[in-house]
Amino acid sequence: MIDSLAQLPLHRRRHEQRHPLPGVIAIIRRTIKDKGNCILLIKRNADPYLGLWALIGGKWEFGETLETAVTREVREETGLHTTFVALRGIVNERMAVASPDAKAGHYLLFVCEVMAADGLAVEQDEGQVAWLTLAQIEALHEVHLVIPNDYEMMRMFTRAESQPFIEAEMLCGSANDGRQAQLLRFDVID
């Protein structure tokens, strides 16, 4: 299924993609009094991951630097002003679909760490935002409420000092049920 994505007709591809779309993903960590170490997540209010918790991120727009792209996406989705810290890794994500009403996708994700001067994240148009502890994230993951690929990015890139390249493959169930998402592959490529 994943290997046949290149033959998929344009109308079955998200945004009628001809090439992988570049995207930026932000890992924003903060120690919060009475909670401990937290990561800022967003509960997506749009397909293909409607209702699932995810890392903050979006499209890398033409002409932007990596730093500009990731700090802009964080500001648009959370209202936070951030400072770029480092590129933590790159993920080649290919997303197949199991339902004829859903669309496949191919993304090249640049996972960055950014730092927020304050933690006053505010819900914008993209969905609810919250600072969650690692235990809370784990509990959400166990009941399939975190995008599987984002969960693995949190695990990999919050502990890694290097910038590994990751091959990730996802399978989405249908256009309206992000909970059916399955992580098929998340491999470090040397």
Side-chain angles (χ1 to χ4, degrees), residues 11-50:
H11 73 277
R12 292 288 320 277
R13 301 178 191 185
R14 291 183 59 76
H15 314 290
E16 296 192 354
Q17 291 177 275
R18 293 181 183 276
H19 309 284
L21 289 178
V24 291
I25 302 291
I27 294 177
I28 312 166
R29 295 184 276 189
R30 185 171 198 78
T31 301
I32 297 177
K33 187 178 179 182
D34 300 328
K35 280 184 90 171
N37 295 328
C38 296
I39 297 175
L40 186 62
L41 297 183
I42 186 167
K43 188 174 184 181
R44 293 282 173 203
N45 64 9
D47 291 328
Y49 299 117
L50 176 67

Side-chain angles (χ1 to χ4, degrees), residues 23-29 39-42 44 54-58 66-67 69-75 77-78 80 82-86 88-89 109-115 131 150 153-154 157-158:
V24 291
I25 302 291
I27 294 177
I28 312 166
R29 295 184 276 189
I39 297 175
L40 186 62
L41 297 183
I42 186 167
R44 293 282 173 203
L55 290 166
I56 310 300
L66 179 60
E67 178 179 343
V70 72
T71 57
R72 174 189 50 77
E73 280 294 337
V74 171
R75 190 173 50 258
E77 294 190 7
T78 70
L80 284 175
T82 56
T83 304
F84 181 83
V85 175
R88 291 292 175 217
L109 305 174
F110 294 79
V111 184
C112 304
E113 183 174 349
V114 298
M115 185 172 49
W131 291 100
D150 286 35
M153 285 188 272
M154 283 183 262
F157 299 129
T158 56

Side-chain angles (χ1 to χ4, degrees), residues 65-134:
T65 64
L66 179 60
E67 178 179 343
T68 300
V70 72
T71 57
R72 174 189 50 77
E73 280 294 337
V74 171
R75 190 173 50 258
E76 287 177 1
E77 294 190 7
T78 70
L80 284 175
H81 291 274
T82 56
T83 304
F84 181 83
V85 175
L87 173 66
R88 291 292 175 217
I90 300 171
V91 177
N92 179 36
E93 180 183 83
R94 298 183 298 156
M95 183 177 69
V97 292
S99 167
D101 64 333
K103 295 189 176 190
H106 189 177
Y107 307 94
L108 190 58
L109 305 174
F110 294 79
V111 184
C112 304
E113 183 174 349
V114 298
M115 185 172 49
D118 65 57
L120 301 174
V122 178
E123 179 178 336
Q124 306 294 315
D125 294 335
E126 299 292 325
Q128 174 187 349
V129 293
W131 291 100
L132 300 174
T133 65
L134 299 178

Side-chain angles (χ1 to χ4, degrees), residues 127-148:
Q128 174 187 349
V129 293
W131 291 100
L132 300 174
T133 65
L134 299 178
Q136 289 171 315
I137 294 167
E138 186 66 36
L140 288 168
H141 173 69
E142 288 176 10
V143 293
H144 308 287
L145 290 176
V146 177
I147 297 173

